[in-house]
Amino acid sequence: MTEIMPMAERHLDAIAALEKQCFSDPWSRASVAAELSSEWSFWLVAEEDGTLAGYVGSQLVPPEADMMNLAVAPERRREGIGQRLLDTLCTELRARGITSLALEVRVSNTAARALYEKNGFALAGCRKKYYVNPIEDALILRKEL
């Protein structure tokens, strides 16, 4: 059974590896590690039998939060792990007094956009040429918690 839990130092190598696998401009291990010591960061991992299946990271600017990255290992996609991570993140953020969650997503990332739209995120704007490798616009999505 896949468990959702707060990110810990033991997850850093696997998160850094998954960043490289999933994103064209990945966060470094050091950048992810810095999130552990920030009082304004809240990250969750999905783990099964000691193996990372996915993670989601957020930064809090009360009463709002920004979702940084949501990633699921390619071999574990279509199992509902992304949905569980998103559900748990929203529940935990609400418990911390966060009232809204925003994120950026590549215009071309139809799978992620479908997940967010299914979960009540609405278009709040666009950031032109936000992404690199390749250069692409980002849609800003927002959800009231």
Short mmCIF file of all heavy atoms in Angstrom, two decimals, residues 11-43:
data_model
loop_
_atom_site.label_atom_id
_atom_site.label_comp_id
_atom_site.label_asym_id
_atom_site.label_seq_id
_atom_site.Cartn_x
_atom_site.Cartn_y
_atom_site.Cartn_z
N HIS A 11 14.37 11.00 1.81
CA HIS A 11 13.71 11.01 0.50
C HIS A 11 14.44 11.86 -0.54
O HIS A 11 14.10 11.82 -1.72
CB HIS A 11 12.28 11.56 0.64
CG HIS A 11 11.40 10.76 1.53
ND1 HIS A 11 10.85 11.26 2.69
CD2 HIS A 11 10.98 9.48 1.45
CE1 HIS A 11 10.12 10.32 3.28
NE2 HIS A 11 10.19 9.23 2.54
N LEU A 12 15.42 12.64 -0.11
CA LEU A 12 16.02 13.65 -1.00
C LEU A 12 16.65 13.08 -2.27
O LEU A 12 16.44 13.62 -3.36
CB LEU A 12 17.04 14.49 -0.24
CG LEU A 12 16.45 15.38 0.86
CD1 LEU A 12 17.56 16.08 1.62
CD2 LEU A 12 15.45 16.38 0.29
N ASP A 13 17.41 12.00 -2.15
CA ASP A 13 18.05 11.43 -3.35
C ASP A 13 17.01 10.96 -4.36
O ASP A 13 17.14 11.20 -5.56
CB ASP A 13 18.98 10.28 -2.97
CG ASP A 13 20.24 10.75 -2.25
OD1 ASP A 13 20.62 11.93 -2.40
OD2 ASP A 13 20.84 9.92 -1.54
N ALA A 14 15.97 10.31 -3.87
CA ALA A 14 14.92 9.79 -4.77
C ALA A 14 14.13 10.94 -5.40
O ALA A 14 13.77 10.87 -6.58
CB ALA A 14 14.00 8.85 -4.01
N ILE A 15 13.87 12.00 -4.63
CA ILE A 15 13.16 13.15 -5.19
C ILE A 15 14.01 13.81 -6.26
O ILE A 15 13.52 14.14 -7.35
CB ILE A 15 12.76 14.15 -4.08
CG1 ILE A 15 11.64 13.55 -3.22
CG2 ILE A 15 12.32 15.48 -4.69
CD1 ILE A 15 11.30 14.36 -1.98
N ALA A 16 15.29 14.01 -5.99
CA ALA A 16 16.19 14.61 -6.98
C ALA A 16 16.23 13.77 -8.26
O ALA A 16 16.23 14.32 -9.37
CB ALA A 16 17.58 14.79 -6.39
N ALA A 17 16.27 12.46 -8.12
CA ALA A 17 16.27 11.58 -9.30
C ALA A 17 14.96 11.69 -10.07
O ALA A 17 14.97 11.74 -11.31
CB ALA A 17 16.52 10.14 -8.86
N LEU A 18 13.84 11.75 -9.35
CA LEU A 18 12.54 11.86 -10.02
C LEU A 18 12.38 13.23 -10.68
O LEU A 18 11.78 13.33 -11.75
CB LEU A 18 11.40 11.58 -9.03
CG LEU A 18 10.01 11.38 -9.61
CD1 LEU A 18 10.00 10.30 -10.69
CD2 LEU A 18 9.02 11.03 -8.51
N GLU A 19 12.93 14.27 -10.07
CA GLU A 19 12.93 15.60 -10.69
C GLU A 19 13.59 15.52 -12.07
O GLU A 19 13.05 16.05 -13.04
CB GLU A 19 13.70 16.60 -9.82
CG GLU A 19 12.90 17.25 -8.73
CD GLU A 19 12.02 18.37 -9.23
OE1 GLU A 19 12.45 19.20 -10.05
OE2 GLU A 19 10.86 18.41 -8.78
N LYS A 20 14.75 14.87 -12.13
CA LYS A 20 15.48 14.76 -13.40
C LYS A 20 14.70 13.94 -14.42
O LYS A 20 14.76 14.19 -15.63
CB LYS A 20 16.86 14.14 -13.17
CG LYS A 20 17.81 15.05 -12.47
CD LYS A 20 19.13 14.37 -12.22
CE LYS A 20 20.07 15.24 -11.40
NZ LYS A 20 21.29 14.54 -11.02
N GLN A 21 13.97 12.95 -13.94
CA GLN A 21 13.21 12.07 -14.82
C GLN A 21 11.96 12.76 -15.37
O GLN A 21 11.56 12.52 -16.50
CB GLN A 21 12.82 10.82 -14.04
CG GLN A 21 12.32 9.69 -14.87
CD GLN A 21 12.09 8.43 -14.04
OE1 GLN A 21 12.08 8.45 -12.81
NE2 GLN A 21 11.90 7.33 -14.71
N CYS A 22 11.36 13.64 -14.57
CA CYS A 22 10.06 14.20 -14.92
C CYS A 22 10.08 15.61 -15.49
O CYS A 22 9.12 16.00 -16.16
CB CYS A 22 9.16 14.19 -13.68
SG CYS A 22 8.73 12.54 -13.11
N PHE A 23 11.13 16.38 -15.19
CA PHE A 23 11.12 17.78 -15.57
C PHE A 23 12.35 18.15 -16.39
O PHE A 23 13.45 17.69 -16.10
CB PHE A 23 11.05 18.68 -14.32
CG PHE A 23 9.82 18.44 -13.49
CD1 PHE A 23 9.91 17.81 -12.26
CD2 PHE A 23 8.57 18.82 -13.95
CE1 PHE A 23 8.78 17.57 -11.50
CE2 PHE A 23 7.43 18.58 -13.19
CZ PHE A 23 7.54 17.96 -11.97
N SER A 24 12.16 19.01 -17.39
CA SER A 24 13.27 19.43 -18.24
C SER A 24 14.17 20.45 -17.55
O SER A 24 15.30 20.66 -17.97
CB SER A 24 12.74 20.01 -19.55
OG SER A 24 11.93 21.15 -19.30
N ASP A 25 13.69 21.08 -16.49
CA ASP A 25 14.48 22.04 -15.72
C ASP A 25 14.33 21.66 -14.24
O ASP A 25 13.66 22.36 -13.48
CB ASP A 25 13.98 23.46 -15.99
CG ASP A 25 14.91 24.52 -15.47
OD1 ASP A 25 16.10 24.23 -15.24
OD2 ASP A 25 14.45 25.67 -15.28
N PRO A 26 14.94 20.54 -13.83
CA PRO A 26 14.69 19.99 -12.49
C PRO A 26 15.31 20.81 -11.36
O PRO A 26 16.33 21.47 -11.54
CB PRO A 26 15.34 18.61 -12.56
CG PRO A 26 16.42 18.76 -13.57
CD PRO A 26 15.90 19.74 -14.59
N TRP A 27 14.67 20.71 -10.20
CA TRP A 27 15.25 21.26 -8.99
C TRP A 27 16.45 20.39 -8.62
O TRP A 27 16.42 19.16 -8.80
CB TRP A 27 14.25 21.19 -7.85
CG TRP A 27 13.16 22.22 -7.85
CD1 TRP A 27 12.50 22.72 -8.94
CD2 TRP A 27 12.61 22.86 -6.71
NE1 TRP A 27 11.56 23.61 -8.53
CE2 TRP A 27 11.60 23.72 -7.16
CE3 TRP A 27 12.85 22.77 -5.35
CZ2 TRP A 27 10.84 24.50 -6.29
CZ3 TRP A 27 12.09 23.54 -4.49
CH2 TRP A 27 11.11 24.40 -4.96
N SER A 28 17.47 20.99 -8.06
CA SER A 28 18.62 20.24 -7.59
C SER A 28 18.30 19.60 -6.24
O SER A 28 17.36 20.01 -5.55
CB SER A 28 19.84 21.15 -7.42
OG SER A 28 19.61 22.06 -6.35
N ARG A 29 19.10 18.62 -5.87
CA ARG A 29 18.94 18.00 -4.54
C ARG A 29 19.07 19.06 -3.46
O ARG A 29 18.33 19.08 -2.49
CB ARG A 29 19.98 16.90 -4.35
CG ARG A 29 19.80 16.14 -3.03
CD ARG A 29 20.98 15.21 -2.76
NE ARG A 29 20.75 14.33 -1.63
CZ ARG A 29 20.83 14.70 -0.34
NH1 ARG A 29 21.11 15.96 -0.03
NH2 ARG A 29 20.62 13.82 0.62
N ALA A 30 20.03 19.99 -3.63
CA ALA A 30 20.25 21.04 -2.63
C ALA A 30 19.02 21.95 -2.51
O ALA A 30 18.66 22.36 -1.39
CB ALA A 30 21.48 21.86 -2.99
N SER A 31 18.39 22.25 -3.62
CA SER A 31 17.18 23.09 -3.57
C SER A 31 16.05 22.39 -2.84
O SER A 31 15.35 23.01 -2.04
CB SER A 31 16.73 23.46 -4.99
OG SER A 31 17.68 24.29 -5.60
N VAL A 32 15.86 21.12 -3.12
CA VAL A 32 14.82 20.35 -2.42
C VAL A 32 15.18 20.25 -0.94
O VAL A 32 14.32 20.43 -0.07
CB VAL A 32 14.61 18.96 -3.05
CG1 VAL A 32 13.59 18.16 -2.25
CG2 VAL A 32 14.16 19.10 -4.51
N ALA A 33 16.45 20.00 -0.63
CA ALA A 33 16.90 19.88 0.76
C ALA A 33 16.63 21.16 1.54
O ALA A 33 16.26 21.12 2.72
CB ALA A 33 18.37 19.52 0.82
N ALA A 34 16.79 22.30 0.89
CA ALA A 34 16.54 23.58 1.55
C ALA A 34 15.08 23.72 1.99
O ALA A 34 14.79 24.41 2.97
CB ALA A 34 16.93 24.73 0.63
N GLU A 35 14.19 23.04 1.29
CA GLU A 35 12.77 23.10 1.65
C GLU A 35 12.52 22.44 3.01
O GLU A 35 11.59 22.80 3.72
CB GLU A 35 11.91 22.43 0.58
CG GLU A 35 11.99 23.12 -0.77
CD GLU A 35 11.41 24.51 -0.78
OE1 GLU A 35 10.23 24.68 -0.43
OE2 GLU A 35 12.16 25.44 -1.12
N LEU A 36 13.36 21.48 3.38
CA LEU A 36 13.19 20.80 4.67
C LEU A 36 13.35 21.74 5.85
O LEU A 36 12.72 21.56 6.88
CB LEU A 36 14.18 19.65 4.81
CG LEU A 36 13.84 18.35 4.12
CD1 LEU A 36 15.02 17.39 4.20
CD2 LEU A 36 12.59 17.72 4.71
N SER A 37 14.21 22.74 5.71
CA SER A 37 14.49 23.63 6.83
C SER A 37 13.68 24.92 6.79
O SER A 37 13.81 25.76 7.68
CB SER A 37 15.99 23.96 6.88
OG SER A 37 16.38 24.59 5.68
N SER A 38 12.85 25.08 5.79
CA SER A 38 12.03 26.29 5.69
C SER A 38 10.70 26.11 6.41
O SER A 38 9.96 25.15 6.14
CB SER A 38 11.76 26.62 4.21
OG SER A 38 10.82 27.67 4.13
N GLU A 39 10.39 27.03 7.28
CA GLU A 39 9.11 26.96 7.99
C GLU A 39 7.94 27.24 7.05
O GLU A 39 6.79 26.98 7.39
CB GLU A 39 9.08 27.94 9.16
CG GLU A 39 9.14 29.40 8.74
CD GLU A 39 9.08 30.35 9.92
OE1 GLU A 39 8.07 30.34 10.64
OE2 GLU A 39 10.06 31.09 10.11
N TRP A 40 8.22 27.75 5.87
CA TRP A 40 7.17 28.10 4.91
C TRP A 40 6.97 27.03 3.83
O TRP A 40 6.21 27.24 2.90
CB TRP A 40 7.48 29.44 4.27
CG TRP A 40 7.65 30.51 5.29
CD1 TRP A 40 8.81 31.17 5.60
CD2 TRP A 40 6.66 31.02 6.18
NE1 TRP A 40 8.59 32.05 6.63
CE2 TRP A 40 7.27 31.98 7.01
CE3 TRP A 40 5.30 30.75 6.38
CZ2 TRP A 40 6.60 32.68 7.99
CZ3 TRP A 40 4.61 31.45 7.37
CH2 TRP A 40 5.25 32.40 8.15
N SER A 41 7.65 25.90 3.97
CA SER A 41 7.52 24.82 2.99
C SER A 41 6.78 23.64 3.59
O SER A 41 6.93 23.35 4.78
CB SER A 41 8.91 24.35 2.53
OG SER A 41 9.53 25.35 1.78
N PHE A 42 6.00 22.99 2.76
CA PHE A 42 5.32 21.76 3.17
C PHE A 42 5.34 20.81 1.98
O PHE A 42 4.76 21.11 0.93
CB PHE A 42 3.89 22.04 3.62
CG PHE A 42 3.19 20.80 4.10
CD1 PHE A 42 3.56 20.19 5.29
CD2 PHE A 42 2.18 20.22 3.35
CE1 PHE A 42 2.94 19.04 5.72
CE2 PHE A 42 1.55 19.07 3.77
CZ PHE A 42 1.92 18.48 4.96
N TRP A 43 6.06 19.69 2.12
CA TRP A 43 6.20 18.71 1.06
C TRP A 43 5.72 17.35 1.57
O TRP A 43 5.94 16.99 2.72
CB TRP A 43 7.66 18.60 0.62
CG TRP A 43 8.14 19.76 -0.19
CD1 TRP A 43 8.08 21.09 0.16
CD2 TRP A 43 8.77 19.73 -1.46
NE1 TRP A 43 8.62 21.86 -0.83
CE2 TRP A 43 9.07 21.06 -1.82
CE3 TRP A 43 9.13 18.69 -2.32
CZ2 TRP A 43 9.70 21.38 -3.03
CZ3 TRP A 43 9.76 19.01 -3.51
CH2 TRP A 43 10.02 20.33 -3.87
#
